[in-house]
Amino acid sequence: MPKRRSLRMLLFVAAAAVLVFSVRFGFAEAWVDQYAWPSSEMSELPVSAAPAAVQPKTEPRPDIPLKPQAVVLSNRVTEYHISVALDDQNGSLTGEQTVTWKNPGRKSVSELYLHLYPNAFSPGSTFIKESNGQLRGDKMKQGSFGNMELTSMTTEEGETLMPRLHYVQPDDGNKNDKTLATFRLPNPVKPGSSVTLRMKFTVKLPDVFARMGKAGDFVMAGQWFPKIAVYETAGMRGRATEGWNLHQYHGNSEFFADFGIYNVRINVPASFKVAATGFQTGTPVVSGGRKSFQFYADDVHDFAWSASPNFEYVEDSFSSPGIPGVRIKLYLDPLHKDLKDRYMHAAKSALAKLGEWYGEYPYSTLSVVVPPADGNGAGGMEYPTLVTAASARDDNPGYELERTLVHEIAHQYWYGLVASNEFEEAWLDEGFTSYTEDKLMSSIYGVLPNIPIEASYLTHPEPLNQSSWRYSSSDGYAENVYLRGKLVLSSLERQVGDKTMSKILRTYFQNYKFKHPSSSDFQKVVETVTKTKWTDFFQAYVQQGQMTDFAIDSINTRKAEDGEYESVVLLRRNGGSPQSVSIWFMFEDGQSVRKKWDGTQTHVQLQLKSSTPLVYAAIDPSLNVVLDNRRYNNYLQSEVPKEERTRFATGITQLIEGLFGTMAW
């Protein structure tokens, strides 16, 4: 009994210490009630203290506060407390932040690095040079530049660090690129210790382009604050020694950051509605024609927000197996206000499937922003607990509405929770998400991908585990990271079966959520689940830019002395890793024979005897080899002279039947 009392006293003292410490960061209110409503009660509890019997029915509002959960899911390396104000007249942000960084390594750290992403929109930046002012079909408007200026940076004691700040360009040496900066700390940060810095900054928003900017009254703030780079520990993603992971903002690449806590106050004109990562911890405060929103998110690696006075707001609560309870919040462009049921159905259905297939969605909100037509550059993007759908270009879109939305929601798992390094191995996010998108569209809407046609688009395959800016072009990046990455997973699925593939992906998600895995980590999971080595597969398709090319190389048929026909068929595997493939032989009398080749050798000769001549041979007639992008050599006739033999693709009819599906980024 005395031991229990002592333990209770220690717990009480610890809780009191946390509460007192949190006051300095403005967290006192958030910690008053640490627990959110259980999912089973979310749809039943009233939103105010008024009795249910007399509670008037009102439209849902985006400003109903929630409270943080008292569960730590990640290592929480960073902690941001940010206050930002939007000047809607000149399209600028003014902000200040207090950020705490904890050293996760085993060595003292003397320098910190900051990503200043808005400088990608400045003249001469690496991003503009590499993209030529174009991304995903959008063009940067002439003269519509943006930038970030860090106006103040001090220690907790008030010592200025601005004279120490300088820009670095580790990837290309472009001195005009200011998207990555570094500075030396007054005192090294010891392992397990932390440092707290105070910063002030301004951001000039470009016209909406590449996930960022303004379009009329619409604002998309993505990658908008000074963000500390990732310090990788030894062993992380196969790293031999610990150190900073440092890259500029490139034309193709997206982002990489540590998990942490975000406490963000956003000040906008009073007429604006705000969608943001996380949830509100208090009712918005209106003063002097302005409105301040307070948002909180933990165990996330980024924070984004969007604002507009024109949003049509819709919300609903949702729970299912794997989804304990989520408030789904729609911020619709007025043109799509009558499509709210389609958006809500897609969001609920996608979450339900993801929770069932991979595991729990651990957050209490999911916000969906639909940009206006002139804000297309903000559409189709993922952030923790917030996604942007395709822009509202017409009032009756086809399945691209659902496809884009389920793709971005799938990102909540592979980008948001698994959080691989998009600078260096983007396929682990985009390829996995595109694969999952196909699964969702098939399961929910019965829309199936045309894989043979998609494979035929792969004209310039490149390695998947290379840095995003190393691809030959933006088209090459998209072709490989999105499409080929997806097809690599589809090929794996065909070889191991649906059930085993589901187990592989669930195991991978469960083992590596919040841990920033690598391609080799995924390979380990595949080998553990299948109890088979997959070295050849990963070397060919991930580490090298290979495709599979099975071919009927030649057919030689002659009539033997006994009156029967002898045929020698030469099969080849030109690239790719070994896998079993079927061959179909058709004879003049209408008889057919099917055989299997294990594909282990690069070539093999098959000998057949028959009563009538062999007419033709076809390899992989059922189109089971996903990564074969040269099907014109899968068929060969034998009765015509060698110099007149014609080849044609066994999948030619699919060219007429199917169109390449839209890919959401």
Side-chain angles (χ1 to χ4, degrees):
M1 196 65 178
K3 289 184 178 179
R4 290 186 180 180
R5 288 176 180 170
S6 299
L7 180 59
R8 289 173 182 170
M9 182 60 69
L10 284 172
L11 290 173
F12 176 79
V13 172
V18 169
L19 182 60
V20 170
F21 179 75
S22 67
V23 171
R24 63 188 284 222
F25 293 116
F27 263 172
E29 288 185 11
W31 279 94
V32 169
D33 181 3
Q34 301 174 10
Y35 300 97
W37 295 330
S39 60
S40 60
E41 301 175 10
M42 286 185 68
S43 59
E44 301 173 6
L45 289 176
V47 297
S48 74
V54 298
Q55 176 87 356
K57 186 175 181 180
T58 60
E59 293 296 318
R61 303 194 318 273
D63 53 4
I64 300 173
L66 291 175
K67 301 296 180 183
Q69 300 270 7
V71 179
V72 177
L73 302 175
S74 70
N75 56 0
R76 296 186 179 180
V77 172
T78 55
E79 183 172 326
Y80 292 88
H81 300 266
I82 311 175
S83 178
V84 62
L86 166 68
D87 185 334
D88 61 315
Q89 297 302 310
N90 66 12
S92 66
L93 307 177
T94 302
E96 55 183 279
Q97 70 179 22
T98 298
V99 57
T100 299
W101 178 78
K102 179 179 64 177
N103 182 354
R106 296 183 176 182
K107 298 179 181 179
S108 293
V109 175
S110 299
E111 286 189 315
L112 286 186
Y113 288 82
L114 294 174
H115 290 291
L116 307 179
Y117 288 123
N119 285 331
F121 303 100
S122 298
S125 74
T126 293
F127 173 82
I128 291 179
K129 282 187 173 184
E130 291 179 351
S131 68
N132 197 28
Q134 300 183 56
L135 188 68
R136 300 189 296 179
D138 282 327
K139 291 185 178 181
M140 191 173 183
K141 290 184 180 179
Q142 189 70 29
S144 175
F145 295 111
N147 70 279
M148 167 180 280
E149 182 181 0
L150 198 58
T151 58
S152 172
M153 182 167 60
T154 65
T155 63
E156 276 193 297
E157 296 74 26
E159 179 182 354
T160 181
L161 300 176
M162 288 299 292
R164 302 174 180 229
L165 186 76
H166 64 279
Y167 300 100
V168 291
Q169 303 82 19
D171 297 328
D172 66 358
N174 176 15
K175 296 301 181 184
N176 292 318
D177 189 84
K178 297 182 178 181
T179 58
L180 185 65
T182 185
F183 57 93
R184 191 165 186 82
L185 294 164
N187 300 298
V189 184
K190 296 179 180 179
S193 297
S194 61
V195 61
T196 298
L197 304 171
R198 304 184 190 280
M199 305 176 191
K200 294 182 180 180
F201 61 94
T202 60
V203 175
K204 177 70 173 68
L205 297 171
D207 290 331
V208 168
F209 175 66
R211 321 170 186 95
M212 172 74 159
K214 58 181 177 60
D217 289 334
F218 172 81
V219 171
M220 185 68 231
Q223 309 303 328
W224 56 278
F225 59 95
K227 185 190 292 186
I228 295 180
V230 176
Y231 187 84
E232 296 182 316
T233 56
M236 181 176 172
R237 299 190 315 106
R239 186 166 185 146
T241 58
E242 64 184 72
W244 291 100
N245 186 273
L246 301 174
H247 298 297
Q248 301 155 238
Y249 191 165
H250 291 272
N252 288 332
S253 69
E254 293 185 18
F255 314 102
F256 183 42
D258 277 314
F259 286 94
I261 294 171
Y262 288 84
N263 184 33
V264 183
R265 179 178 288 109
I266 302 170
N267 182 269
V268 295
S271 62
F272 278 57
K273 299 181 182 75
V274 174
T277 292
F279 53 84
Q280 290 179 232
T281 58
T283 303
V285 176
V286 180
S287 177
R290 307 278 299 179
K291 184 185 290 186
S292 290
F293 296 80
Q294 190 76 35
F295 287 89
Y296 173 86
D298 53 26
D299 301 309
V300 297
H301 54 82
D302 198 4
F303 188 100
W305 58 278
S306 182
S308 172
N310 304 315
F311 284 142
E312 295 284 341
Y313 181 75
V314 181
E315 80 161 55
D316 199 4
S317 295
F318 176 70
S319 62
S320 70
I323 311 297
V326 180
R327 181 182 290 179
I328 300 175
K329 310 170 82 170
L330 306 181
Y331 297 81
L332 305 175
D333 182 82
L335 188 64
H336 280 193
K337 65 179 180 180
D338 294 332
L339 302 178
K340 60 182 182 296
D341 291 340
R342 285 179 64 181
Y343 282 105
M344 193 63 76
H345 177 268
K348 289 181 178 180
S349 301
L351 276 179
K353 293 294 181 183
L354 293 167
E356 174 190 347
W357 294 343
Y358 305 135
E360 181 177 322
Y361 178 79
Y363 307 118
S364 60
T365 61
L366 174 65
S367 296
V368 177
V369 173
V370 180
D374 57 351
N376 184 64
M381 188 57 192
E382 68 280 358
Y383 307 93
T385 78
L386 183 149
V387 300
T388 62
S391 63
R393 295 184 172 184
D394 63 74
D395 61 1
N396 188 29
Y399 269 127
E400 66 268 17
L401 183 155
E402 285 82 5
R403 182 175 290 280
T404 301
L405 184 53
V406 303
H407 178 100
E408 304 309 333
I409 293 174
H411 269 304
Q412 293 300 306
Y413 277 68
W414 305 123
Y415 151 84
L417 293 168
V418 173
S420 51
N421 186 336
E422 291 187 278
F423 286 125
E424 299 177 4
E425 293 183 292
W427 86 283
L428 290 175
D429 174 34
E430 298 295 356
F432 278 60
T433 298
S434 296
Y435 171 89
T436 305
E437 168 200 323
D438 280 353
K439 291 292 184 183
L440 291 170
M441 290 300 294
S442 173
S443 178
I444 301 168
Y445 300 104
V447 177
L448 303 176
N450 194 325
I451 286 180
I453 296 301
E454 292 179 348
S456 72
Y457 278 80
L458 293 168
T459 57
H460 188 58
E462 300 179 60
L464 293 177
N465 65 341
Q466 67 178 329
S467 297
S468 296
W469 59 95
R470 303 296 183 193
Y471 286 90
S472 57
S473 64
S474 59
D475 288 342
Y477 169 81
E479 180 181 301
N480 284 275
V481 166
Y482 288 79
L483 179 54
R484 186 164 163 274
K486 173 187 85 170
L487 294 182
V488 166
L489 295 177
S490 297
S491 176
L492 180 61
E493 177 191 302
R494 290 285 179 91
Q495 296 182 58
V496 302
D498 292 349
K499 185 176 180 180
T500 300
M501 188 65 179
S502 296
K503 185 177 181 181
I504 287 170
L505 291 177
R506 186 177 182 90
T507 302
Y508 176 62
F509 175 78
Q510 292 293 337
N511 287 358
Y512 288 104
K513 57 186 177 181
F514 303 108
K515 292 181 181 177
H516 312 293
S518 66
S519 296
S520 61
D521 292 321
F522 178 60
Q523 181 180 341
K524 291 174 186 175
V525 171
V526 174
E527 293 179 343
T528 299
V529 171
T530 63
K531 298 179 173 58
T532 305
K533 286 293 182 182
W534 287 84
T535 303
D536 289 345
F537 182 91
F538 278 83
Q539 281 183 346
Y541 303 127
V542 176
Q543 299 169 29
Q544 301 170 16
Q546 292 191 34
M547 295 291 287
T548 306
D549 179 20
F550 282 106
I552 307 289
D553 198 66
S554 65
I555 299 176
N556 292 305
T557 301
R558 70 179 185 87
K559 192 171 185 179
E561 292 181 358
D562 60 2
E564 290 201 320
Y565 291 87
E566 295 179 347
S567 299
V568 177
V569 182
L570 178 60
L571 309 177
R572 287 193 182 275
R573 176 174 58 81
N574 303 313
S577 66
Q579 69 178 96
S580 179
V581 65
S582 63
I583 307 98
W584 187 12
F585 302 96
M586 177 61 71
F587 298 92
E588 194 174 78
D589 61 358
Q591 297 295 314
S592 63
V593 173
R594 285 183 180 268
K595 289 183 176 291
K596 279 278 188 181
W597 175 33
D598 62 13
T600 302
Q601 306 88 1
T602 58
H603 64 279
V604 68
Q605 281 189 338
L606 298 182
Q607 294 183 336
L608 300 94
K609 292 196 72 172
S610 55
S611 58
T612 59
L614 177 65
V615 178
Y616 67 81
I619 193 166
D620 189 34
S622 301
L623 308 179
N624 285 321
V625 181
V626 171
L627 288 165
D628 194 336
N629 63 334
R630 296 179 178 179
R631 294 193 175 275
Y632 60 82
N633 57 15
N634 285 31
Y635 174 96
L636 187 61
Q637 290 180 311
S638 63
E639 75 278 16
V640 296
K642 182 176 181 180
E643 63 272 11
E644 297 179 11
R645 288 177 185 167
T646 59
R647 302 180 183 272
F648 53 88
T650 54
I652 192 68
T653 54
Q654 282 81 5
L655 265 169
I656 302 169
E657 297 170 353
L659 293 174
F660 184 49
T662 302
M663 283 195 307
W665 286 32

